[in-house]
C-alpha cells in the first residue's frame, strides 16, 4: 500500500480509529488527540463507522469541563468471525463478535461427518444474517480447504492462537516465548510480529527415539503430551498431571524441555517463557524443576529468564483464534504494523 496517497491515508485513519476504539471507549476529541488526526476528519470517519454499524454512539462523558462529549465504542454486534480448531480426535468451532468475545463454541468429533458438523454450526450462527469477515483455522488446508467457506480463511498454529489470546489486554508479554505443550509441542514469538517457530518441537535433544517427522531424538518425540501418555499408559491429562507415575515421567523429561527452552531463549533473546496447553496445568514443583535446569544451561547474563504459566488456559486458544481472524480481516492490523515500522525506520534514519 502506498501510504502517501490521500485515499489510502483516509483508509489508514479509519483503521487507526477502529484500533483505538478496540482498546478503549473514547470521545471524538480523545480520538483526535490520541491519533493526531484533526477533529473534522475524526468526525467524518466516526460518523461513517456509526452509519455502517461498526461503531456505537453511547453515553455522554460528564467528567470533563465544558460541553459533555459522546463516548464511542466498537459495536460488538456489527459482525463476527469464525474459528475452527483441529486436533486428531475433535474439532472446536467458535464464533466471536467484533470485540473478540466468544459468542458460542461447540466441540464435535473429527470424523467422516466433519463437513456436516461445520455446516450445522455455521448455519446456527448465521441465522440472523450477520456480516461475517473471515475464518481462522487452527490446522492446515489438509484439515479443511479454503473453498469450504464463503469467506476468506487464514491458517495458524495452536501456539500462535494461544499466544494471541494470552497477550490480549496485556502489555508485558511482548518479548515472551510462547510454548504450546500438549499432544504436540509448538512455539511462537511475538517480537516484531507473531512468528511461528515450527522447528521448536523438532529440536534434537537425545538419540535413539524416532519422531513422526522422520528425525531422531526430537523434543516432541521425547516430551510431548502424546509421547508421555504413550510412555506411561495414562491417556488423560487430568490423571497424567496428578498421579505419581505421570508426575515422575514429566520430571524425567524436564531436562529435555529445559535444554530446548535454553536454546530457544538464546536464539530469540526472549526474557520469559510462557507454557500453554494441557501440560501448563502441571504442579508448581515441576515448573521449578524445569526452570532450575534451564538456568543451569544458560550463560550468566541470561539467567534472569523466567518460566511462567498460562493465565487463561483453554480460554486463550478460543479467544486467540477469533482475534487472529479479526486482526486479519476486519482491523487489518498488519497494515498499521507496517506503517508503524516505516515510521520507526524513518525516525532512525533521520
Amino acid at each position: 500500500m502506498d501510504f502517501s496517497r490521500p485515499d489510502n491515508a483516509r483508509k489508514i485513519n479509519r483503521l487507526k480509529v477502529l484500533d483505538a476504539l478496540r482498546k478503549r471507549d473514547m470521545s471524538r476529541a480523545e480520538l483526535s488527540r490520541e491519533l493526531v488526526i484533526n477533529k473534522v476528519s475524526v468526525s467524518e470517519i466516526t460518523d461513517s463507522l456509526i452509519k455502517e454499524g461498526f461503531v456505537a454512539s453511547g453515553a455522554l462523558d460528564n467528567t470533563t469541563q465544558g460541553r459533555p462529549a459522546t463516548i464511542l465504542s466498537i459495536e460488538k454486534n456489527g459482525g463476527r468471525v469464525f474459528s475452527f480448531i483441529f486436533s486428531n480426535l475433535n474439532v472446536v468451532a467458535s464464533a466471536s463478535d467484533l470485540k473478540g468475545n466468544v459468542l458460542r463454541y461447540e466441540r464435535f468429533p473429527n470424523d467422516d461427518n466433519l463437513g456436516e458438523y461445520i455446516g450445522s454450526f455455521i448455519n446456527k450462527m448465521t441465522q440472523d444474517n450477520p456480516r461475517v469477515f473471515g475464518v481462522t483455522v487452527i490446522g492446515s488446508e489438509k484439515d479443511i480447504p479454503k473453498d469450504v467457506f464463503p469467506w476468506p480463511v487464514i491458517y495458524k498454529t495452536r501456539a500462535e492462537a494461544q499466544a494471541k489470546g494470552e497477550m490480549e489486554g496485556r502489555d508485558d508479554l511482548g518479548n515472551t516465548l510462547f510454548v504450546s505443550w500438549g499432544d504436540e509441542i509448538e512455539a511462537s514469538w511475538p517480537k516484531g510480529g507473531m512468528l511461528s517457530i515450527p522447528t521448536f518441537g523438532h529440536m534434537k535433544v537425545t538419540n535413539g527415539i524416532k519422531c513422526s517427522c522422520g528425525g531422531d531424538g526430537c523434543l516432541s518425540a521425547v516430551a510431548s503430551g502424546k509421547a508421555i501418555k504413550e510412555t506411561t499408559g495414562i491417556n488423560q491429562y487430568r490423571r497424567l498431571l496428578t498421579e505419581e507415575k505421570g508426575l515422575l515421567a514429566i520430571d524425567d523429561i524436564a531436562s529435555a524441555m529445559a535444554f530446548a527452552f535454553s536454546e530457544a531463549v538464546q536464539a530469540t533473546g526472549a526474557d520469559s517463557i510462557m507454557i500453554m496447553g494441557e501440560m501448563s496445568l502441571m504442579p508448581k514443583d515441576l515448573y521449578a524443576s524445569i526452570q532450575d535446569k534451564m538456568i543451569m544451561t544458560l550463560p550468566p547474563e541470561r539467567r534472569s529468564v523466567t518460566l511462567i504459566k498460562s493465565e487463561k488456559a483453554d480460554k486463550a486458544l478460543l479467544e486467540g483464534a477469533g482475534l487472529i481472524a479479526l486482526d486479519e480481516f476486519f482491523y487489518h492490523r498488519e497494515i498499521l504494523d507496517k506503517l508503524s515500522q516505516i515510521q520507526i525506520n524513518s525516525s532512525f534514519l533521520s
Side-chain angles (χ1 to χ4, degrees):
M1 177 181 282
D2 182 353
F3 296 110
S4 64
R5 288 179 55 184
D7 54 338
N8 285 339
R10 284 191 290 271
K11 291 176 183 177
I12 291 166
N13 285 341
R14 175 187 167 98
L15 293 179
K16 286 181 176 180
V17 167
L18 285 170
D19 187 59
L21 290 176
R22 179 183 183 179
K23 295 170 184 172
R24 68 181 177 90
D25 299 348
M26 280 187 266
S27 67
R28 291 173 175 83
E30 288 177 299
L31 285 167
S32 178
R33 287 194 298 269
E34 182 162 311
L35 301 176
V36 195
I37 302 173
N38 68 69
K39 292 180 180 179
V40 173
S41 294
V42 167
S43 291
E44 289 175 351
I45 291 168
T46 54
D47 288 348
S48 175
L49 290 170
I50 290 169
K51 186 177 181 179
E52 293 173 63
F54 298 139
V55 168
S57 179
L60 296 178
D61 181 7
N62 295 303
T63 61
T64 58
Q65 294 181 345
R67 185 179 178 182
T70 303
I71 299 300
L72 305 177
S73 62
I74 293 295
E75 175 50 75
K76 63 181 181 181
N77 297 319
R80 64 188 55 156
V81 292
F82 286 98
S83 64
F84 296 89
I85 302 167
F86 282 78
S87 69
N88 290 331
L89 297 177
N90 56 57
V91 176
V92 177
S94 70
S96 302
D97 64 26
L98 293 188
K99 284 193 171 184
N101 301 309
V102 177
L103 301 171
R104 182 184 179 93
Y105 72 92
E106 293 182 8
R107 187 186 306 270
F108 34 76
N110 188 355
D111 59 23
D112 293 340
N113 297 313
L114 180 59
E116 293 180 20
Y117 300 143
I118 290 175
S120 175
F121 182 79
I122 289 174
N123 289 337
K124 189 182 303 179
M125 297 305 298
T126 55
Q127 288 179 355
D128 54 345
N129 295 315
R131 284 172 287 195
V132 178
F133 294 98
V135 178
T136 300
V137 172
I138 305 303
S140 70
E141 286 200 64
K142 292 180 180 179
D143 296 311
I144 184 165
K146 290 181 179 180
D147 58 15
V148 168
F149 304 104
W151 313 292
V153 181
I154 185 171
Y155 295 88
K156 292 291 181 180
T157 66
R158 295 175 76 87
E160 289 173 292
Q162 287 168 325
K164 184 69 176 176
E166 294 286 352
M167 293 183 71
E168 183 69 5
R170 296 185 61 173
D171 298 320
D172 59 333
L173 299 175
N175 195 24
T176 297
L177 176 70
F178 293 91
V179 176
S180 178
W181 189 4
D183 277 2
E184 303 297 334
I185 300 177
E186 301 174 345
S188 62
W189 187 44
K191 195 73 171 180
M194 190 68 72
L195 300 174
S196 173
I197 308 178
T199 56
F200 181 81
H202 299 283
M203 188 183 304
K204 187 176 178 65
V205 295
T206 189
N207 294 302
I209 301 179
K210 293 296 180 182
C211 180
S212 59
C213 73
D216 176 68
C218 294
L219 179 65
S220 286
V222 175
S224 68
K226 181 180 178 181
I228 298 171
K229 286 190 288 187
E230 289 176 352
T231 299
T232 60
I234 300 173
N235 60 8
Q236 296 178 342
Y237 280 106
R238 178 180 56 80
R239 292 177 51 213
L240 186 67
L241 298 170
T242 55
E243 295 181 10
E244 183 178 7
K245 184 178 181 181
L247 296 175
L248 288 173
I250 297 169
D251 194 45
D252 284 344
I253 56 85
S255 294
M257 288 300 295
F259 172 78
F261 287 159
S262 174
E263 292 292 294
V265 161
Q266 292 180 80
T268 61
D271 53 29
S272 61
I273 299 171
M274 178 179 282
I275 296 180
M276 311 172 298
E278 292 87 350
M279 294 295 290
S280 68
L281 298 176
M282 64 184 177
K284 290 181 179 179
D285 60 338
L286 288 177
Y287 272 90
S289 175
I290 295 173
Q291 169 132 357
D292 289 345
K293 290 178 170 64
M294 175 183 70
I295 289 174
M296 289 174 59
T297 65
L298 286 169
E301 67 274 12
R302 298 293 287 126
R303 289 179 182 172
S304 61
V305 175
T306 55
L307 200 61
I308 55 180
K309 179 181 178 179
S310 162
E311 290 194 356
K312 295 185 178 180
D314 291 344
K315 188 178 179 182
L317 181 57
L318 273 176
E319 287 185 355
L323 290 167
I324 285 171
L326 285 173
D327 272 357
E328 182 74 12
F329 305 118
F330 181 70
Y331 291 102
H332 298 285
R333 184 65 244 181
E334 80 285 356
I335 294 177
L336 295 181
D337 288 341
K338 288 178 181 177
L339 179 61
S340 177
Q341 191 59 50
I342 289 171
Q343 291 171 337
I344 290 171
N345 292 339
S346 298
S347 175
F348 176 76
L349 291 172
S350 61

